[in-house]
Amino acid sequence: MLTVIKKNLIRWVIIAMLLFVLTAFTLPSSTSIQPKIVSNPAEATPAPEDTFIRVAQGHIVSSGKMSRGVAWGDYNDDGKPDLFVANSQGQTNFLYRNDGDGIFTPVQESEIMQIRSYSESGNWVDYDSDGDLDLFITNIRNEANFLFRNDGDDSFTRITDGEIVSERRSSTGSCWADYDADGDLDVFVANRNEQHNSFFSNNGDGNFAKMTDGEIVKNGGDSRACGWADVDGDADLDLYVGNAHEANFFYTNNGDGTFTRVTEGSFTNDISYTYGLSWADVDNDGDIDLFVSNVQDKNILYLNNGLGEFERVVDEPFATDIGASKGNTWGDFDNDGDVDLFVANGTPDISDVTNFLYLNDGEGTFTRSAVGVLTDDNHISAGTAWVDYNNDGRLDIFVANWGNNNQDNALYTNENGEIGNWIKISLVGYESNRSSIGATVRLETIIDAETIWQTHQVLGNTGYGSQNEQIIHFGIGSATQIKSLEIRWQSGEVDVYTELIANTRYTATEAGDLHLTDSQ
């Protein structure tokens, strides 16, 4: 009788275990993935020297030039983000291949590293929808911009035909987006010196047509930065343009291929020396807000009221700190469920300037934080962008420096040992553009017994002339499972997934496929 009871008990234990496995996950798991779960993230701030460590060796941090913009993108599709750095003053640019284990190899044989130019920015984009990342580079001093098509075999071909690469203006940055929702990426180019900005529409065959109608290409301006975002939740992308010493431009997308310039309110009437801008949902209320960096003036945070109308925040530390702010990037650097802000400063006119890090307390307020070398280094900085270059779930930061035209750049590895959990999502569009720019991703988790919704939009650039790693990264604090993940594609398709695993990277393809990413 005892033997029968033991057999029945064992049978029921096995059944219960099988039921748990079947109901706990909606996706197949991989035996090669062993998520590291943090049951209780740090309650105390780690020692500054434990947070970010500056990489000390390698060409990536020891070959100084006048570096301006930076762009992270996995151009060879090996699961490791690679780096482009735009250099000015007639210097050659940098292209680094991420070989893993913290090794970045300069791709000296590429034409990308051989042309001398006055480059300010770079964007990795799949403009021809063939599944690999191409590179667009903007140049100042009335030098034509560069477009390199990825050949899919670790090499690039420079495109020489078309006005997109023959027009000669002084271009500080570019913003890629599918403004007309036709499935391919178009590009807006910000130009300096009161030159009209440029807008090129993708024909879908690898060629671009220059747009000549509308205020968006006739407003002139001394433009330094631009950024697309869906500010009013209508599924099309609107455009903000930062100008030096004059009001910034804001254009709402009418959904029919035309734009309306908004001129009311401080959002479009504050005048400063704007050099960079970045969009993010900083208060986790579901809409996208805007940070604007200014040189030798107060920086500005504008909060979205959910209707595409913005109010200037006046009582946060980055609204009173004055530096020479250019690059900036939003990212959850402590993985606690809200985005923090890093700001790069630099001008020869201000001595002893350092970069700023503002930590979000989860309620839309911020504290300026000192975390060792990241905020102590006295560099003259321009562009900056985050990346998880070693795939450990912690966001690292690269900063482009330009002091004396030869200052070494800086790569800071996030070594916070008391960080929260995370999840990463790569998106692949089909009916929408392949790069998925314009998609909105919402995540629901329970952090410290509170339901938290986070919202990220897939955007093509950040700050000044720069681009973050092309992946959606959510910090989720003490949460070990995601209740809900919602992806709203620009095509109108909506995909919803539940009960995902913490500390895991997924790939989502449009129209309902979500799977574990092979490379971790």
Side-chain angles (χ1 to χ4, degrees):
M1 181 68 177
L2 183 60
T3 301
V4 173
I5 292 173
K6 285 183 177 180
K7 288 182 178 179
N8 286 336
L9 180 60
I10 292 171
R11 183 182 297 112
W12 282 110
V13 168
I14 293 172
I15 292 172
M17 291 175 66
L18 289 172
L19 288 173
F20 172 78
V21 170
L22 290 172
T23 57
F25 304 104
T26 58
L27 299 167
S29 61
S30 170
T31 56
S32 64
I33 296 173
Q34 299 295 330
K36 168 180 164 254
I37 304 298
V38 179
S39 60
N40 186 18
E43 297 179 358
T45 302
E49 61 269 20
D50 294 336
T51 304
F52 285 91
I53 305 298
R54 185 181 348 106
V55 173
Q57 296 180 333
H59 188 286
I60 194 172
V61 294
S62 62
S63 299
K65 293 189 177 181
M66 187 177 181
S67 298
R68 306 295 288 169
V70 306
W72 291 97
D74 183 8
Y75 76 82
N76 55 2
D77 197 29
D78 65 352
K80 299 184 290 290
D82 311 296
L83 177 66
F84 170 79
V85 182
N87 297 318
S88 195
Q89 292 300 103
Q91 300 169 337
T92 55
N93 296 317
F94 294 143
L95 176 63
Y96 295 104
R97 183 182 63 246
N98 185 347
D99 290 327
D101 296 324
I103 299 172
F104 289 87
T105 302
V107 190
Q108 303 280 9
E109 67 275 12
S110 175
E111 188 178 4
I112 294 170
M113 283 194 68
Q114 297 173 359
I115 304 174
R116 294 189 175 274
S117 58
Y118 291 84
S119 298
E120 289 286 309
S121 79
N123 276 120
W124 292 106
V125 289
D126 185 3
Y127 80 89
D128 52 3
S129 300
D130 64 351
D132 50 41
L133 293 178
D134 315 295
L135 181 64
F136 185 68
I137 303 169
T138 65
N139 302 309
I140 58 172
R141 299 201 177 186
N142 293 320
E143 186 177 79
N145 298 323
F146 304 147
L147 178 61
F148 290 92
R149 186 187 66 236
N150 191 331
D151 295 327
D153 57 0
D154 283 353
S155 67
F156 295 83
T157 296
R158 183 179 174 183
I159 303 301
T160 57
D161 294 330
E163 204 164 359
I164 190 173
V165 293
S166 64
E167 180 180 70
R168 292 182 174 272
R169 295 190 178 177
S170 191
S171 302
T172 52
S174 65
C175 309
W176 290 78
D178 184 6
Y179 83 96
D180 51 3
D182 65 352
D184 49 45
L185 291 173
D186 316 291
V187 59
F188 179 89
V189 180
N191 298 318
R192 294 175 61 167
N193 304 328
E194 301 303 324
Q195 298 171 331
H196 292 315
N197 294 317
S198 305
F199 199 175
F200 297 94
S201 179
N202 193 331
N203 294 335
D205 58 1
N207 297 306
F208 294 82
K210 183 178 179 181
M211 297 178 60
T212 58
D213 295 329
E215 285 186 288
I216 199 168
V217 292
K218 293 182 178 180
N219 281 143
D222 192 357
S223 300
R224 303 302 172 95
C226 57
W228 295 96
D230 181 6
V231 304
D232 48 11
D234 62 356
D236 55 39
L237 296 176
D238 313 292
L239 179 68
Y240 196 84
V241 182
N243 296 314
H245 306 303
E246 59 185 296
N248 296 329
F249 303 148
F250 178 46
Y251 303 97
T252 59
N253 192 330
N254 297 323
D256 59 1
T258 66
F259 295 84
T260 298
R261 181 179 171 186
V262 177
T263 57
E264 297 179 356
S266 64
F267 191 58
T268 55
N269 285 289
D270 290 331
I271 297 177
S272 188
Y273 191 173
T274 296
Y275 237 100
L277 60 96
S278 295
W279 297 96
D281 181 9
V282 306
D283 47 6
N284 283 345
D285 66 350
D287 52 46
I288 197 94
D289 312 295
L290 179 68
F291 177 79
V292 175
S293 61
N294 299 311
V295 173
Q296 295 177 324
D297 200 352
K298 297 175 183 178
N299 297 319
I300 303 173
L301 175 65
Y302 295 102
L303 290 183
N304 191 337
N305 67 359
L307 302 174
E309 301 168 348
F310 293 83
E311 179 180 353
R312 178 173 179 170
V313 175
V314 296
D315 57 356
E316 288 298 321
F318 44 70
T320 56
D321 291 341
I322 295 178
S325 300
K326 294 184 174 69
N328 53 86
T329 184
W330 294 98
D332 193 349
F333 299 114
D334 50 9
N335 281 352
D336 64 350
D338 47 54
V339 290
D340 313 299
L341 177 67
F342 180 73
V343 181
N345 294 303
T347 177
D349 299 331
I350 301 178
S351 61
D352 298 325
V353 64
T354 59
N355 296 326
F356 303 150
L357 176 66
Y358 300 99
L359 296 180
N360 192 334
D361 70 356
E363 297 181 358
T365 57
F366 296 81
T367 300
R368 182 174 166 185
S369 180
V371 288
V373 292
L374 180 68
T375 52
D376 288 344
D377 281 344
N378 182 15
H379 295 153
I380 297 178
S381 303
T384 185
W386 61 254
V387 62
D388 181 10
Y389 77 86
N390 51 8
N391 284 322
D392 66 356
R394 296 176 288 199
L395 297 185
D396 315 300
I397 296 176
F398 185 86
V399 181
N401 298 318
W402 58 283
N404 296 320
N405 297 339
N406 63 358
Q407 192 172 58
D408 290 341
N409 296 318
L411 175 61
Y412 300 94
T413 305
N414 189 337
E415 295 289 346
N416 190 340
E418 301 295 337
I419 205 164
N421 296 318
W422 52 271
I423 186 170
K424 298 196 291 186
I425 316 290
S426 297
L427 272 67
V428 180
Y430 282 119
E431 185 178 347
S432 303
N433 66 86
R434 183 76 180 230
S435 298
S436 306
I437 293 175
T440 298
V441 183
R442 300 189 69 218
L443 186 84
E444 181 188 13
T445 52
I446 297 177
I447 303 177
D448 298 332
E450 181 181 359
T451 298
I452 302 294
W453 280 94
Q454 299 181 60
T455 303
H456 289 337
Q457 290 186 15
V458 181
L459 306 175
N461 55 290
T462 188
Y464 178 70
S466 297
Q467 183 177 36
N468 297 319
E469 181 184 358
Q470 294 177 307
I471 194 169
I472 294 294
H473 169 275
F474 288 101
I476 58 173
S478 60
T480 59
Q481 196 176 62
I482 286 75
K483 289 187 63 178
S484 175
L485 175 75
E486 177 188 278
I487 304 173
R488 292 186 175 271
W489 303 87
Q490 198 174 11
S491 65
E493 183 80 27
V494 179
D495 296 329
V496 178
Y497 306 94
T498 59
E499 299 178 342
L500 280 65
I501 311 170
N503 299 336
T504 306
R505 176 174 172 174
Y506 294 91
T507 297
T509 54
E510 190 171 9
D513 178 45
L514 183 71
H515 57 273
L516 295 170
T517 303
D518 293 333
S519 177
Q520 289 291 308

